[in-house]
Amino acid sequence: MQVRHFFAALMLAFGIGQQALAEEPKKPDVQQEMQQAPVAQEQAATSTPAEEKPAAAAEAPVAPATPVVRAEVANPPSEASASPDWIHSFFYDVKVTDVLLAVFAGLLVLLGRDLARRMRDAVSAAKDSAAVAEKSATVAEKSARVAEDALISGQRAFMFIREIKTYLHQDPATGQFHWTIHPIWANSGNTPTRGLSINTSYRLLDAPLPAGYDFPESQEDLIPTIAGPRSMVEAVSGTLSSEDLAAVKEGRKFFYIWGWAEYHDIFEGTKKRVTRFCNQLIEVDGDPAAPVNEHNPLQMMFGFHAENNYAD
């Protein structure tokens, strides 16, 4: 509907223009007659002597000229009625070139609209492509980061307490027995550690550890070591007499082992790794004051304390 209205408006404009062109040549004639009437009246006045009385009779033929001119000027509808109206001019006086120009102008409008639509579509497609490319780059970056994290997690060194071994010893001088405690650390990763340090503390207490205990470090000098892939490292050992072990069995004493292992893995840009632990001697089977044999299978069981156990 908009294109048809546009063509109708163009045709109407051309019709009105043709009518104006048809009327334009007649306007100078009317203006010329209006200009000639005063000139003729002036000539008639100058040609007759001023003293002759028949001048009034000579002026008589000139006098009607002015009303005639005024009638023609004041009554233009007589010529307008003779000229073709705008409907006739619109349908019959429009030239072929005018129609072609109107059609060409309409085609230019349609072409402009089509080009604008195509440009909007191209801009929208470019924005969509940029968004998809950005999203793909983000997904690729995340995938690469996930793959790198998976590689590090699967291959890096990871230290943890694997077991706590106990050995029975007898003093030849006194004949009394005592036990040595040996925490065993293991590296479950496929790569070695760098700058490994292990700290271990032993405490025999009269009461259980309170909540929020700060687990102080051992004051012994740290000896840097290394744990290879899938290897084990023994920490500094502790000692527990048979009397203390009997007190733990009877519930009069409480025995704890805690400490930490700090190290770096071989991957660049990773933070320092820390593993902390705290174990409690929770059960003793057998007689701590007697030798271990088939009749006295002494066993000590350690369990994790409620606090100070984590790794990163």
Side-chain angles (χ1 to χ4, degrees):
M1 294 295 292
Q2 295 179 358
V3 177
R4 188 173 63 185
H5 293 166
F6 174 76
F7 282 133
L10 285 178
M11 299 292 288
L12 179 60
F14 280 117
I16 296 173
Q18 289 294 328
Q19 181 181 0
L21 292 176
E23 295 178 356
E24 185 175 359
K26 297 179 181 180
K27 293 181 180 179
D29 295 338
V30 176
Q31 294 178 358
Q32 185 175 1
E33 291 178 0
M34 293 176 63
Q35 293 175 359
Q36 289 177 356
V39 173
Q41 187 176 4
E42 183 178 357
Q43 290 176 357
T46 55
S47 62
T48 305
E51 63 276 4
E52 292 183 1
K53 294 182 179 178
E59 293 177 358
V62 180
T66 302
V68 171
V69 174
R70 291 178 181 176
E72 292 177 357
V73 174
N75 192 18
S78 59
E79 292 184 1
S81 60
S83 62
D85 56 3
W86 68 271
I87 298 177
H88 182 276
S89 177
F90 177 75
F91 285 102
Y92 297 101
D93 295 341
V94 176
K95 298 179 181 180
V96 177
T97 55
D98 299 335
V99 176
L100 293 178
L101 288 175
V103 173
F104 180 71
L107 291 177
L108 287 179
V109 172
L110 294 177
L111 180 60
R113 293 181 59 185
D114 184 67
L115 289 177
R117 181 183 60 80
R118 291 177 182 272
M119 290 183 65
R120 288 196 300 268
D121 295 341
V123 172
S124 178
K127 290 181 178 179
D128 294 340
S129 299
V132 171
E134 183 178 0
K135 185 177 180 181
S136 300
T138 303
V139 171
E141 183 179 357
K142 289 182 178 179
S143 299
R145 186 164 56 250
V146 169
E148 182 181 2
D149 293 342
L151 174 64
I152 294 175
S153 299
Q155 301 296 323
R156 77 170 183 87
F158 184 83
M159 299 296 297
F160 68 101
I161 288 290
R162 178 170 181 173
E163 60 179 327
I164 297 178
K165 294 183 178 181
T166 58
Y167 295 98
L168 177 63
H169 303 273
Q170 186 177 20
D171 188 354
T174 60
Q176 295 181 348
F177 296 95
H178 67 275
W179 296 81
T180 56
I181 314 299
H182 303 266
I184 306 299
W185 288 85
N187 176 16
S188 62
N190 294 323
T191 55
T193 62
R194 293 189 304 165
L196 173 62
S197 298
I198 297 175
N199 186 275
T200 309
S201 299
Y202 300 90
R203 292 291 190 276
L204 182 66
L205 305 175
D206 295 331
L209 286 177
Y213 190 67
D214 59 355
F215 301 97
E217 298 180 354
S218 173
Q219 300 302 317
E220 298 180 0
D221 294 335
L222 298 178
I223 301 177
T225 183
I226 186 172
R230 305 288 179 175
S231 64
M232 292 182 291
V233 178
E234 183 177 333
V236 176
S237 60
T239 303
L240 191 63
S241 67
S242 58
E243 290 82 2
D244 293 335
L245 190 57
V248 172
K249 180 179 179 180
E250 296 170 1
R252 296 181 287 108
K253 298 285 186 179
F254 301 89
F255 184 68
Y256 296 91
I257 309 172
W258 67 73
W260 48 258
E262 292 184 350
Y263 59 97
H264 285 279
D265 54 43
I266 64 172
F267 296 98
E268 296 294 335
T270 55
K271 62 180 181 179
K272 179 183 287 188
R273 311 292 183 175
V274 180
T275 301
R276 295 183 179 275
F277 81 101
C278 180
N279 280 194
Q280 179 183 0
L281 179 58
I282 58 177
E283 185 176 349
V284 178
D285 294 332
D287 184 4
V292 177
N293 51 42
E294 59 183 2
H295 303 290
N296 185 31
L298 184 65
Q299 293 182 346
M300 288 181 282
M301 298 180 62
F302 290 86
F304 286 104
H305 182 55
E307 299 178 357
N308 201 56
N309 290 285
Y310 69 88
D312 58 4

